[in-house]
Amino acid sequence: MATWRFHGGLIWKENGFKENTSIDIQVSNAEDREIYLSESSLLVPGLIDFHCHIWAPGASVGVTDTEYISSGVIGSVDAGTFGYDGWENADRLWQNSPMEIRSWLSVLPEGLTIHPNPNPTKPEDISVERLIETASLAGNRLYGFKVRLGQIDAKTDRGLLEVARNAAEKSGLKMMVHLTGSSLSIDEVVEILRPGDVLTHPYHGQKGHVLDEHGKVSAAFKQAVDRGLLLDVGQGSKHFSWKVFQQAALKEGIKPNFISSDIVRNTWKKPPVNDMSYIVSRFIAGGLTKEEVFSSVLDNACRFMGLELDYVNRILVLEADHSETQYLDSEGDGITGHIQYNPSIHINHGSVIFSHELN
């Protein structure tokens, strides 16, 4: 084993960044090195993506774990790529990944293995028994049931929510609800959700968004958050509006618990999604503090996932680029930022994954 000693930069510890004097990381596939970082460099154990879509056989929509790791991600949550028709086989593969993978079970038996899906399974044809049976085999690797609203009509949306609520109550698990494009009002959606459930895409700007007719955050939505509803950004290519985010998060203080990518094959390495270091950068540029963003990506995600993040044989170095960058949303609007963090060194499980620049 060799030692890579990192000097300088800012290191994430105890919910914030501290000055790094030096830290040693053991590696098995390189020689000893002394690495001196700039004062703006960030050191973190790795990045966590709380909402993504991971490849397994049958899911061409997903991105492989190897690709995620190559971008500095060490843990992720698959957000319903599979339903009960394919989840067990996918999970069997994911358990052997060098990346920590957990998941949500789509209430649709086909999940996203058919995408786009012009004829998703109707709510009345979904087996609650099979949802519960699949969840019972998963241990702590499955958090609950994912509902994608906005595919057909209001009746379908209500039916899917009822199926997921029924399965969640009987199994003692949670719900994650995709909000974008729903024919239901936000007030009706949050009425069925419970503390600890997750609402993803809360800052989208399409039909069914969280603002009322006066452009303010819905009172029912605000009350649901106060009761413990958790919010997940789920950036994606179609699920984010700077206008809604600025009103809800920055003006009214309804900030996300989790900042995530919702990456799929078609958005991998392409704005406005790109990868997790890009997602981190865009929300710092968008008005959240560096500490708020990394607390969401690291502390909140790990707490929900039951993971312990440390620097035992792993580290990710992010270098700051302060050139002007345009960060677009899904509506064609954009903001101008002067920060973009780029991964330069990644060590995971004692193996150097990449090292782009060394001093």
Side-chain angles (χ1 to χ4, degrees):
M1 295 288 285
T3 300
W4 282 27
R5 179 167 294 164
F6 295 84
H7 303 269
L10 299 172
I11 189 167
W12 183 260
K13 285 185 177 179
E14 298 174 0
N15 305 317
F17 284 102
K18 319 288 184 184
E19 288 188 14
N20 174 53
T21 303
S22 69
I23 183 172
D24 292 351
I25 305 295
Q26 303 301 307
V27 300
S28 61
N29 61 338
E31 298 179 351
D32 291 344
R33 294 188 186 274
E34 300 278 339
I35 301 165
Y36 294 86
L37 303 172
S38 70
E39 61 182 14
S40 62
S41 299
L42 303 183
L43 297 91
V44 295
L47 298 174
I48 305 293
D49 193 350
F50 187 77
H51 180 152
C52 61
H53 294 280
I54 306 170
W55 180 87
S60 59
V61 71
V63 174
T64 66
D65 60 349
T66 302
E67 290 171 301
Y68 279 115
I69 293 168
S70 75
S71 69
V73 171
I74 60 173
S76 61
V77 181
D78 180 87
T81 303
F82 290 90
Y84 53 65
D85 280 348
W87 182 86
E88 288 182 63
N89 286 334
D91 182 63
R92 193 174 295 115
L93 177 70
W94 295 339
Q95 286 184 61
N96 293 308
S97 172
M99 181 172 70
E100 292 286 348
I101 300 176
R102 306 290 188 272
S103 59
W104 296 86
L105 182 69
S106 173
V107 295
L108 297 180
E110 66 272 23
L112 289 179
T113 60
I114 304 172
H115 183 73
N117 188 354
N119 297 297
T121 301
K122 296 177 181 179
E124 58 268 28
D125 294 328
I126 297 170
S127 169
V128 173
E129 289 71 23
R130 286 200 63 189
L131 289 172
I132 296 170
E133 178 186 9
T134 302
S136 71
L137 303 173
N140 63 359
R141 300 187 307 281
L142 189 69
Y143 299 126
F145 306 99
K146 168 76 178 294
V147 176
R148 183 183 177 93
L149 302 180
Q151 291 184 276
I152 304 296
D153 54 23
K155 179 182 177 182
T156 302
D157 283 356
R158 289 190 188 97
L160 293 174
L161 287 172
E162 290 169 3
V163 167
R165 184 78 270 156
N166 189 4
E169 295 295 335
K170 290 180 177 179
S171 63
L173 297 177
K174 304 179 187 301
M175 291 173 60
M176 173 186 264
V177 174
H178 161 123
L179 185 62
T180 308
S182 177
S183 298
L184 306 179
S185 69
I186 182 61
D187 294 23
E188 184 173 351
V189 172
V190 298
E191 185 176 356
I192 203 168
L193 299 178
R194 304 289 181 264
D197 288 341
V198 178
L199 185 70
T200 189
H201 317 311
Y203 307 110
H204 78 84
Q206 300 181 38
K207 181 173 63 174
H209 58 65
V210 302
L211 304 184
D212 63 20
E213 65 272 19
H214 305 294
K216 306 292 185 182
V217 169
S218 152
F221 172 61
K222 194 176 290 187
Q223 291 164 7
V225 171
D226 289 342
R227 290 193 301 269
L229 177 65
L230 302 176
L231 304 181
D232 164 49
V233 165
Q235 169 69 47
S237 62
K238 301 177 181 178
H239 309 306
F240 185 81
S241 160
W242 283 119
K243 177 182 176 181
V244 175
F245 178 78
Q246 288 163 355
Q247 179 63 42
L250 302 186
K251 293 182 180 179
E252 299 194 49
I254 310 297
K255 297 181 180 180
N257 300 95
F258 311 108
I259 294 174
S260 62
S261 72
D262 190 20
I263 283 177
V264 295
R265 172 54 54 197
N266 289 340
T267 60
W268 173 248
K269 296 298 184 182
K270 300 173 187 175
V273 182
N274 205 333
D275 60 21
M276 272 305 292
S277 58
Y278 183 87
I279 297 293
V280 162
S281 305
R282 66 181 283 124
F283 281 95
I284 296 172
L288 297 180
T289 68
K290 187 166 55 183
E291 286 71 23
E292 286 176 325
V293 170
F294 278 93
S295 182
S296 296
V297 170
L298 298 178
D299 297 346
N300 292 357
C302 285
R303 191 177 303 116
F304 188 98
M305 295 173 69
L307 299 180
E308 290 288 337
L309 267 192
D310 55 39
Y311 292 92
V312 177
N313 298 331
R314 62 185 172 195
I315 200 166
L316 175 68
V317 178
L318 298 169
E319 300 289 356
D321 178 352
H322 295 288
S323 58
E324 185 174 292
T325 303
Q326 281 289 115
Y327 292 106
L328 298 177
D329 66 7
S330 309
E331 312 299 317
D333 296 324
I335 62 164
T336 300
H338 291 86
I339 186 64
Q340 183 168 338
Y341 285 104
N342 298 305
S344 63
I345 302 172
H346 185 205
I347 299 170
N348 194 30
H349 297 304
S351 180
V352 179
I353 307 301
F354 58 76
S355 176
H356 299 319
E357 293 184 12
L358 293 177
N359 295 321

